[in-house]
Amino acid sequence: MFTAFLIKYAEIGVKGKNRYLFEDALVHQIKYALKKCEGNFLIHKSQGRIYVDAQGEFDFDETVGQLKLVFGISGICPVVSVEDEGFEKLRERIIQYMADVYPDKNKTFKVHSRRARKNYPMESMEINAALGEAILQAYPEMSVDVHEPDILLNVEIREKIHIYSEVIPGPGGMPVGTGGKAMLLLSGGIDSPVAGYMIAKRGVKLDAVYFHAPPYTSERAKQKVVDLARIVSRYTGPIYLHVISFTDIQLYIHEKCPHEELTIIMRRYMMRIAEHIARETGCLGLITGESIGQVASQTMNSLMATNEVCELPVYRPLIGFDKQEIVELAGKIGTFETSILPYEDCCTIFVAKHPVTKPNVKIIRRHEQNLDEKIEELVRTALDTDELIIVEG
Ligand code: ATP
Ligand code: MG
């Protein structure tokens, strides 16, 4: 019955010359999302709106499911699109539409028509009145409420006539690609995929980096991170995932630095390396899944010590979230089940029994000097052996 979708998007902040950038990015992301669906779709902008027209057969649920992944969409309206064959015919179609979409007629409604084509022989007010009357005649249980109708029946007279009333909520946010790009530090945990999702939702494209420590972390642990990136990429489009071999750096830090400072120093090297790749790939910031107080390396003091080594802004969208809130979000976006698979993480392997919770930055810096030039060499090797995996949902 439905042959098209009208895509609604929030217009806040997309006035003037930014508007077409926003719309083009949205069209691009919709095309990407619908590539995975059966059927052909024509996606086009028309008079300040975006339409998805199905060309022939398509699977309604699958298509809506994919559209729900596209940031920037605030609502998805399934549209019945009919040829203009005169008002009498339109009246019949409207009555049919109400029968098909609302089996329960105990509802209030309002007709809202618009003439994008001004040569249509009736004015909007007339159309509203005539169609309202037709509906009341056909379904006496229904009544009109112009202020808060249960059903707002939209009738748009264009080349064809579009009829729609249902709005399926979209994910909101901004289309990916309108906000630049950032580098996500992606581990196999629960938090970092959610952090990536949240920043991407604001229109930011994601690259990712994973610190792998073979043989302490297995191929399966790495595969888990690839799988998580794939789930996130359903929302974002392809993610360039950099896999960095971190083993030698970790072992060297382990050899030269006090064990209770190991995690912090390791985290500082992760940030330095991530920042290096970020700069080379045009990323404008780093993203982590940190949240204040969650673990020893995420106290305010520890965050200060880790943050100190980067110049790029570090985005930590989960900073004020409780674990339970993060878990709920992970469930909603579909990463939770993969995140809780029990493979080892490089941070947990070298972790001390009593890590510092209030690292002193000056002392950390002094202990890092134990690492001398050799660490530079190890970092360079890690960067040179960066394995790039392009992940697509
Ligand atoms: P997560 O659930 O995201 O793994 P976590 O609670 O285990 O987080 P930490 O291990 O302290 O916390 O890591 C904090 C953040 O550092 C992570 O959210 C992630 O952004 C980054 N990170 C940690 N380990 C790695 C890794 N092996 N590769 C890439 N990033 C990492
Ligand atoms: Mg972790």
Side-chain angles (χ1 to χ4, degrees), residues 183-195 208-213 217 225 241-242 244 246 250 263 266-267 270-271 274 287-291 294-298 303 306 315 318 323 326 339 344-348:
M183 178 65 70
L184 169 65
L185 283 86
L186 181 63
S187 68
I190 296 170
D191 308 330
S192 44
V194 177
V209 55
Y210 165 59
F211 295 92
H212 188 37
T217 59
V225 174
L241 171 65
H242 300 262
I244 294 289
F246 204 51
Q250 276 184 309
T263 308
M266 220 172 66
R267 304 241 348 108
M270 281 189 186
M271 299 303 266
I287 307 166
T288 75
E290 290 160 314
S291 139
Q294 198 186 80
V295 285
S297 58
Q298 297 178 28
L303 288 167
T306 337
Y315 297 102
L318 307 180
K323 193 74 188 185
I326 303 171
S339 287
E344 64 292 326
D345 174 33
C346 74
C347 299
T348 49

Short mmCIF file of all heavy atoms in Angstrom, two decimals, residues 183-195 208-213 217 225 241-242 244 246 250 263 266-267 270-271 274 287-291 294-298 303 306 315 318 323 326 339 344-348, ligand 1:
data_model
loop_
_atom_site.label_atom_id
_atom_site.label_comp_id
_atom_site.label_asym_id
_atom_site.label_seq_id
_atom_site.Cartn_x
_atom_site.Cartn_y
_atom_site.Cartn_z
N MET A 183 38.58 10.11 16.07
CA MET A 183 39.20 8.79 16.26
C MET A 183 38.70 8.17 17.57
O MET A 183 38.95 8.69 18.64
CB MET A 183 40.72 8.97 16.29
CG MET A 183 41.53 7.72 16.52
SD MET A 183 41.37 6.52 15.18
CE MET A 183 42.27 7.36 13.86
N LEU A 184 38.00 7.05 17.42
CA LEU A 184 37.47 6.34 18.59
C LEU A 184 38.48 5.32 19.09
O LEU A 184 38.95 4.48 18.31
CB LEU A 184 36.17 5.63 18.19
CG LEU A 184 35.58 4.62 19.18
CD1 LEU A 184 35.14 5.30 20.47
CD2 LEU A 184 34.40 3.88 18.54
N LEU A 185 38.82 5.38 20.38
CA LEU A 185 39.63 4.31 20.98
C LEU A 185 38.67 3.19 21.33
O LEU A 185 37.90 3.31 22.29
CB LEU A 185 40.39 4.81 22.22
CG LEU A 185 41.62 5.67 21.92
CD1 LEU A 185 41.26 7.12 21.72
CD2 LEU A 185 42.67 5.53 23.01
N LEU A 186 38.71 2.16 20.50
CA LEU A 186 37.71 1.10 20.62
C LEU A 186 38.33 -0.15 21.23
O LEU A 186 39.23 -0.76 20.66
CB LEU A 186 37.15 0.79 19.22
CG LEU A 186 36.06 -0.28 19.13
CD1 LEU A 186 34.81 0.12 19.90
CD2 LEU A 186 35.70 -0.55 17.67
N SER A 187 37.85 -0.50 22.43
CA SER A 187 38.30 -1.74 23.06
C SER A 187 37.17 -2.74 22.88
O SER A 187 36.17 -2.46 22.24
CB SER A 187 38.58 -1.49 24.53
OG SER A 187 37.37 -1.22 25.20
N GLY A 188 37.31 -3.88 23.48
CA GLY A 188 36.25 -4.87 23.36
C GLY A 188 35.20 -4.74 24.46
O GLY A 188 34.35 -5.61 24.61
N GLY A 189 35.26 -3.63 25.22
CA GLY A 189 34.37 -3.49 26.37
C GLY A 189 32.98 -2.99 26.01
O GLY A 189 32.62 -2.90 24.84
N ILE A 190 32.24 -2.64 27.04
CA ILE A 190 30.85 -2.19 26.84
C ILE A 190 30.84 -0.71 26.47
O ILE A 190 30.00 -0.26 25.67
CB ILE A 190 30.04 -2.39 28.15
CG1 ILE A 190 29.93 -3.89 28.46
CG2 ILE A 190 28.65 -1.77 28.05
CD1 ILE A 190 29.36 -4.20 29.83
N ASP A 191 31.78 0.05 27.02
CA ASP A 191 31.67 1.51 26.98
C ASP A 191 32.05 2.15 25.65
O ASP A 191 31.32 3.01 25.15
CB ASP A 191 32.52 2.12 28.09
CG ASP A 191 32.23 1.50 29.45
OD1 ASP A 191 31.08 1.08 29.66
OD2 ASP A 191 33.14 1.42 30.28
N SER A 192 33.20 1.76 25.12
CA SER A 192 33.70 2.52 23.98
C SER A 192 32.79 2.46 22.74
O SER A 192 32.64 3.47 22.06
CB SER A 192 35.15 2.15 23.64
OG SER A 192 35.36 0.77 23.67
N PRO A 193 32.13 1.32 22.43
CA PRO A 193 31.22 1.37 21.27
C PRO A 193 30.06 2.36 21.49
O PRO A 193 29.66 3.05 20.54
CB PRO A 193 30.67 -0.07 21.17
CG PRO A 193 31.59 -0.92 21.98
CD PRO A 193 32.20 -0.04 23.01
N VAL A 194 29.61 2.44 22.73
CA VAL A 194 28.50 3.37 23.03
C VAL A 194 29.00 4.81 22.87
O VAL A 194 28.30 5.67 22.32
CB VAL A 194 27.95 3.13 24.46
CG1 VAL A 194 26.87 4.15 24.80
CG2 VAL A 194 27.42 1.71 24.59
N ALA A 195 30.22 5.06 23.33
CA ALA A 195 30.80 6.40 23.20
C ALA A 195 30.88 6.80 21.73
O ALA A 195 30.53 7.92 21.35
CB ALA A 195 32.18 6.44 23.85
N ALA A 208 38.61 4.35 13.93
CA ALA A 208 38.81 3.71 15.23
C ALA A 208 40.21 3.14 15.33
O ALA A 208 40.86 2.85 14.32
CB ALA A 208 37.77 2.60 15.43
N VAL A 209 40.67 3.01 16.59
CA VAL A 209 41.96 2.36 16.83
C VAL A 209 41.79 1.37 17.98
O VAL A 209 41.12 1.64 18.96
CB VAL A 209 43.09 3.40 17.12
CG1 VAL A 209 42.73 4.32 18.27
CG2 VAL A 209 44.42 2.70 17.39
N TYR A 210 42.38 0.19 17.75
CA TYR A 210 42.34 -0.86 18.78
C TYR A 210 43.77 -1.27 19.10
O TYR A 210 44.57 -1.53 18.19
CB TYR A 210 41.53 -2.07 18.26
CG TYR A 210 41.73 -3.33 19.07
CD1 TYR A 210 41.43 -3.36 20.44
CD2 TYR A 210 42.21 -4.50 18.47
CE1 TYR A 210 41.62 -4.52 21.18
CE2 TYR A 210 42.39 -5.66 19.20
CZ TYR A 210 42.11 -5.66 20.56
OH TYR A 210 42.29 -6.81 21.30
N PHE A 211 44.09 -1.32 20.39
CA PHE A 211 45.43 -1.74 20.81
C PHE A 211 45.39 -3.22 21.17
O PHE A 211 44.72 -3.63 22.12
CB PHE A 211 45.91 -0.87 21.99
CG PHE A 211 46.10 0.56 21.59
CD1 PHE A 211 45.06 1.48 21.73
CD2 PHE A 211 47.28 0.98 21.00
CE1 PHE A 211 45.21 2.79 21.32
CE2 PHE A 211 47.44 2.29 20.58
CZ PHE A 211 46.40 3.20 20.74
N HIS A 212 46.12 -3.94 20.37
CA HIS A 212 46.10 -5.39 20.41
C HIS A 212 47.43 -5.84 21.04
O HIS A 212 48.46 -5.25 20.73
CB HIS A 212 46.00 -5.86 18.95
CG HIS A 212 45.77 -7.31 18.77
ND1 HIS A 212 44.97 -8.06 19.58
CD2 HIS A 212 46.23 -8.15 17.80
CE1 HIS A 212 44.95 -9.31 19.13
NE2 HIS A 212 45.70 -9.39 18.06
N ALA A 213 47.39 -6.86 21.90
CA ALA A 213 48.63 -7.29 22.55
C ALA A 213 48.85 -8.79 22.41
O ALA A 213 48.83 -9.52 23.39
CB ALA A 213 48.60 -6.87 24.03
N THR A 217 46.63 -11.09 24.11
CA THR A 217 45.24 -11.01 23.65
C THR A 217 45.14 -11.83 22.35
O THR A 217 46.03 -11.77 21.51
CB THR A 217 44.80 -9.56 23.38
OG1 THR A 217 45.65 -8.99 22.40
CG2 THR A 217 44.83 -8.72 24.63
N VAL A 225 36.46 -7.00 18.56
CA VAL A 225 36.51 -5.56 18.32
C VAL A 225 36.04 -5.24 16.89
O VAL A 225 35.29 -4.28 16.67
CB VAL A 225 37.94 -5.02 18.59
CG1 VAL A 225 38.04 -3.55 18.22
CG2 VAL A 225 38.30 -5.23 20.06
N LEU A 241 39.35 0.90 10.81
CA LEU A 241 39.83 0.44 12.11
C LEU A 241 41.34 0.16 12.03
O LEU A 241 41.78 -0.68 11.24
CB LEU A 241 39.06 -0.83 12.52
CG LEU A 241 39.55 -1.58 13.74
CD1 LEU A 241 39.38 -0.75 15.02
CD2 LEU A 241 38.82 -2.92 13.89
N HIS A 242 42.09 0.88 12.85
CA HIS A 242 43.54 0.66 12.91
C HIS A 242 43.84 -0.29 14.05
O HIS A 242 43.46 -0.02 15.20
CB HIS A 242 44.27 1.98 13.16
CG HIS A 242 44.03 3.01 12.09
ND1 HIS A 242 44.91 3.24 11.06
CD2 HIS A 242 42.97 3.84 11.87
CE1 HIS A 242 44.43 4.17 10.27
NE2 HIS A 242 43.25 4.56 10.73
N ILE A 244 46.69 -1.71 16.29
CA ILE A 244 48.07 -1.39 16.65
C ILE A 244 48.60 -2.49 17.58
O ILE A 244 47.98 -2.81 18.59
CB ILE A 244 48.13 -0.03 17.38
CG1 ILE A 244 47.74 1.12 16.44
CG2 ILE A 244 49.48 0.20 18.03
CD1 ILE A 244 48.76 1.45 15.38
N PHE A 246 50.54 -3.62 20.43
CA PHE A 246 50.92 -2.85 21.61
C PHE A 246 51.81 -3.65 22.56
O PHE A 246 52.30 -3.12 23.55
CB PHE A 246 49.61 -2.42 22.29
CG PHE A 246 49.70 -1.21 23.16
CD1 PHE A 246 50.27 -0.03 22.68
CD2 PHE A 246 49.20 -1.22 24.45
CE1 PHE A 246 50.32 1.10 23.47
CE2 PHE A 246 49.26 -0.09 25.25
CZ PHE A 246 49.82 1.07 24.76
N GLN A 250 53.90 -2.40 25.91
CA GLN A 250 53.43 -2.79 27.25
C GLN A 250 54.52 -3.51 28.04
O GLN A 250 54.73 -3.23 29.22
CB GLN A 250 52.21 -3.70 27.12
CG GLN A 250 50.93 -2.92 26.97
CD GLN A 250 49.73 -3.83 26.94
OE1 GLN A 250 49.70 -4.79 26.17
NE2 GLN A 250 48.74 -3.55 27.74
N THR A 263 49.10 1.07 34.37
CA THR A 263 47.90 1.35 33.58
C THR A 263 47.90 2.79 33.08
O THR A 263 47.60 3.04 31.92
CB THR A 263 46.63 1.07 34.42
OG1 THR A 263 46.75 -0.23 34.97
CG2 THR A 263 45.38 1.14 33.58
N MET A 266 50.53 3.25 30.39
CA MET A 266 50.04 2.57 29.19
C MET A 266 48.96 3.40 28.49
O MET A 266 48.97 3.56 27.28
CB MET A 266 49.41 1.27 29.65
CG MET A 266 49.67 0.12 28.79
SD MET A 266 49.02 -1.30 29.68
CE MET A 266 47.29 -0.97 29.68
N ARG A 267 48.05 3.94 29.29
CA ARG A 267 46.97 4.74 28.73
C ARG A 267 47.52 6.00 28.07
O ARG A 267 47.03 6.45 27.04
CB ARG A 267 45.92 5.10 29.79
CG ARG A 267 45.34 3.90 30.48
CD ARG A 267 43.86 3.66 30.35
NE ARG A 267 43.10 4.73 29.81
CZ ARG A 267 42.58 4.72 28.60
NH1 ARG A 267 42.73 3.68 27.82
NH2 ARG A 267 41.89 5.74 28.17
N MET A 270 48.71 4.96 24.74
CA MET A 270 47.56 4.74 23.84
C MET A 270 47.09 6.08 23.26
O MET A 270 46.83 6.20 22.07
CB MET A 270 46.38 4.12 24.59
CG MET A 270 46.48 2.64 24.83
SD MET A 270 44.88 2.09 25.48
CE MET A 270 45.27 0.40 25.86
N MET A 271 46.97 7.07 24.14
CA MET A 271 46.48 8.38 23.70
C MET A 271 47.45 9.03 22.73
O MET A 271 47.05 9.60 21.72
CB MET A 271 46.25 9.31 24.90
CG MET A 271 45.24 8.82 25.91
SD MET A 271 43.62 8.49 25.21
CE MET A 271 42.80 10.03 25.51
N ALA A 274 47.13 7.15 19.43
CA ALA A 274 45.83 7.47 18.81
C ALA A 274 45.86 8.88 18.23
O ALA A 274 45.37 9.12 17.13
CB ALA A 274 44.72 7.33 19.85
N ILE A 287 37.98 10.00 20.90
CA ILE A 287 36.79 9.62 21.68
C ILE A 287 37.14 8.41 22.55
O ILE A 287 37.72 7.44 22.05
CB ILE A 287 35.62 9.19 20.75
CG1 ILE A 287 35.32 10.26 19.70
CG2 ILE A 287 34.38 8.86 21.57
CD1 ILE A 287 34.44 9.75 18.56
N THR A 288 36.79 8.48 23.82
CA THR A 288 36.96 7.31 24.68
C THR A 288 35.66 7.01 25.42
O THR A 288 34.76 7.85 25.50
CB THR A 288 38.07 7.51 25.74
OG1 THR A 288 37.56 8.36 26.76
CG2 THR A 288 39.34 8.07 25.16
N GLY A 289 35.61 5.83 25.99
CA GLY A 289 34.42 5.42 26.74
C GLY A 289 34.56 5.65 28.24
O GLY A 289 33.90 4.98 29.03
N GLU A 290 35.42 6.59 28.63
CA GLU A 290 35.67 6.78 30.06
C GLU A 290 34.48 7.44 30.78
O GLU A 290 33.73 8.22 30.19
CB GLU A 290 36.92 7.64 30.24
CG GLU A 290 38.19 6.89 29.84
CD GLU A 290 39.37 7.80 29.52
OE1 GLU A 290 39.17 8.79 28.79
OE2 GLU A 290 40.46 7.51 29.99
N SER A 291 34.37 7.10 32.06
CA SER A 291 33.32 7.67 32.91
C SER A 291 33.93 7.85 34.30
O SER A 291 34.62 6.96 34.79
CB SER A 291 32.14 6.70 32.88
OG SER A 291 31.55 6.54 34.12
N GLN A 294 34.86 5.08 37.28
CA GLN A 294 34.47 3.70 36.97
C GLN A 294 35.55 2.69 37.38
O GLN A 294 35.26 1.63 37.90
CB GLN A 294 34.16 3.57 35.47
CG GLN A 294 33.36 2.32 35.14
CD GLN A 294 33.21 2.13 33.65
OE1 GLN A 294 34.12 1.65 32.99
NE2 GLN A 294 32.05 2.50 33.13
N VAL A 295 36.79 3.03 37.09
CA VAL A 295 37.94 2.21 37.51
C VAL A 295 39.06 3.16 37.92
O VAL A 295 38.94 4.38 37.72
CB VAL A 295 38.43 1.30 36.35
CG1 VAL A 295 37.48 0.13 36.12
CG2 VAL A 295 38.65 2.07 35.07
N ALA A 296 40.14 2.58 38.46
CA ALA A 296 41.24 3.41 38.98
C ALA A 296 41.77 4.38 37.91
O ALA A 296 42.15 5.51 38.22
CB ALA A 296 42.36 2.52 39.49
N SER A 297 41.78 3.92 36.67
CA SER A 297 42.35 4.78 35.62
C SER A 297 41.36 5.84 35.15
O SER A 297 41.63 6.56 34.20
CB SER A 297 42.81 3.93 34.44
OG SER A 297 41.72 3.18 33.95
N GLN A 298 40.22 5.92 35.80
CA GLN A 298 39.22 6.91 35.38
C GLN A 298 38.79 7.84 36.52
O GLN A 298 37.71 8.42 36.48
CB GLN A 298 38.01 6.21 34.75
CG GLN A 298 38.41 5.47 33.48
CD GLN A 298 37.26 4.71 32.84
OE1 GLN A 298 36.11 5.08 32.96
NE2 GLN A 298 37.58 3.63 32.14
N LEU A 303 42.35 10.73 34.92
CA LEU A 303 41.96 11.33 33.64
C LEU A 303 42.84 12.53 33.31
O LEU A 303 43.22 12.74 32.17
CB LEU A 303 40.48 11.75 33.69
CG LEU A 303 39.47 10.60 33.66
CD1 LEU A 303 38.08 11.09 34.02
CD2 LEU A 303 39.46 9.92 32.29
N THR A 306 46.08 11.20 32.00
CA THR A 306 46.00 10.65 30.64
C THR A 306 45.79 11.76 29.63
O THR A 306 46.31 11.73 28.53
CB THR A 306 44.78 9.69 30.49
OG1 THR A 306 44.39 9.22 31.74
CG2 THR A 306 45.05 8.57 29.57
N TYR A 315 36.94 13.59 23.48
CA TYR A 315 35.52 13.55 23.78
C TYR A 315 35.20 12.29 24.57
O TYR A 315 35.58 11.20 24.18
CB TYR A 315 34.71 13.60 22.47
CG TYR A 315 34.94 14.90 21.73
CD1 TYR A 315 35.79 14.97 20.64
CD2 TYR A 315 34.33 16.07 22.17
CE1 TYR A 315 36.02 16.16 19.99
CE2 TYR A 315 34.55 17.28 21.54
CZ TYR A 315 35.40 17.32 20.44
OH TYR A 315 35.64 18.50 19.80
N LEU A 318 30.48 9.56 27.79
CA LEU A 318 29.86 8.80 28.88
C LEU A 318 30.32 9.28 30.25
O LEU A 318 30.03 8.64 31.26
CB LEU A 318 30.21 7.31 28.73
CG LEU A 318 29.90 6.69 27.37
CD1 LEU A 318 30.29 5.21 27.37
CD2 LEU A 318 28.43 6.85 27.04
N LYS A 323 27.25 2.96 35.14
CA LYS A 323 27.42 1.75 34.31
C LYS A 323 26.07 1.26 33.80
O LYS A 323 25.94 0.88 32.63
CB LYS A 323 28.13 0.65 35.11
CG LYS A 323 28.63 -0.50 34.25
CD LYS A 323 29.88 -0.06 33.47
CE LYS A 323 30.31 -1.12 32.46
NZ LYS A 323 31.57 -0.74 31.79
N ILE A 326 24.91 3.00 30.81
CA ILE A 326 25.70 2.66 29.63
C ILE A 326 25.25 1.29 29.10
O ILE A 326 25.09 1.10 27.89
CB ILE A 326 27.22 2.66 29.96
CG1 ILE A 326 27.65 4.02 30.50
CG2 ILE A 326 28.03 2.29 28.72
CD1 ILE A 326 29.06 4.07 31.06
N SER A 339 29.80 -7.21 23.40
CA SER A 339 30.75 -6.65 24.38
C SER A 339 30.97 -7.59 25.57
O SER A 339 32.06 -7.60 26.14
CB SER A 339 30.25 -5.31 24.92
OG SER A 339 30.40 -4.30 23.95
N GLU A 344 39.84 -11.74 26.62
CA GLU A 344 40.74 -10.90 27.41
C GLU A 344 41.00 -9.53 26.75
O GLU A 344 40.91 -9.38 25.54
CB GLU A 344 42.06 -11.64 27.61
CG GLU A 344 42.88 -11.93 26.33
CD GLU A 344 42.22 -12.95 25.38
OE1 GLU A 344 41.56 -13.90 25.82
OE2 GLU A 344 42.36 -12.76 24.16
N ASP A 345 41.30 -8.56 27.61
CA ASP A 345 41.56 -7.21 27.15
C ASP A 345 43.00 -6.87 27.52
O ASP A 345 43.50 -7.31 28.55
CB ASP A 345 40.56 -6.29 27.87
CG ASP A 345 40.81 -4.83 27.58
OD1 ASP A 345 41.26 -4.53 26.46
OD2 ASP A 345 40.57 -4.01 28.47
N CYS A 346 43.67 -6.10 26.68
CA CYS A 346 45.09 -5.85 26.92
C CYS A 346 45.32 -5.09 28.23
O CYS A 346 46.36 -5.20 28.84
CB CYS A 346 45.73 -5.12 25.75
SG CYS A 346 45.29 -3.41 25.62
N CYS A 347 44.33 -4.30 28.66
CA CYS A 347 44.52 -3.54 29.90
C CYS A 347 44.48 -4.45 31.12
O CYS A 347 45.13 -4.18 32.12
CB CYS A 347 43.42 -2.51 30.06
SG CYS A 347 43.41 -1.34 28.75
N THR A 348 43.70 -5.51 31.05
CA THR A 348 43.52 -6.33 32.24
C THR A 348 44.71 -7.25 32.47
O THR A 348 44.95 -7.69 33.59
CB THR A 348 42.22 -7.16 32.14
OG1 THR A 348 42.20 -7.80 30.87
CG2 THR A 348 40.99 -6.29 32.29
P1 ATP B 1 35.51 -0.26 27.77
O1 ATP B 1 34.28 -0.90 28.31
O2 ATP B 1 35.24 0.69 26.68
O3 ATP B 1 36.58 -1.26 27.41
P2 ATP B 1 36.66 0.12 30.32
O4 ATP B 1 35.67 0.40 31.34
O5 ATP B 1 37.19 -1.26 30.17
O6 ATP B 1 36.07 0.63 28.93
P3 ATP B 1 39.39 1.12 30.35
O7 ATP B 1 39.92 -0.21 30.06
O8 ATP B 1 39.97 1.93 31.44
O9 ATP B 1 37.81 1.14 30.60
O10 ATP B 1 39.48 1.98 29.06
C1 ATP B 1 38.99 3.28 29.01
C2 ATP B 1 38.85 3.67 27.56
O11 ATP B 1 40.11 3.56 26.91
C3 ATP B 1 37.94 2.74 26.77
O12 ATP B 1 36.59 3.14 26.87
C4 ATP B 1 38.48 2.90 25.38
O13 ATP B 1 38.01 4.10 24.78
C5 ATP B 1 39.97 3.04 25.63
N1 ATP B 1 40.65 1.72 25.56
C6 ATP B 1 40.92 0.86 26.56
N2 ATP B 1 41.53 -0.25 26.11
C7 ATP B 1 41.68 -0.08 24.78
C8 ATP B 1 42.24 -0.88 23.73
N3 ATP B 1 42.78 -2.08 23.95
N4 ATP B 1 42.20 -0.39 22.47
C9 ATP B 1 41.63 0.81 22.22
N5 ATP B 1 41.10 1.59 23.16
C10 ATP B 1 41.12 1.16 24.43
#
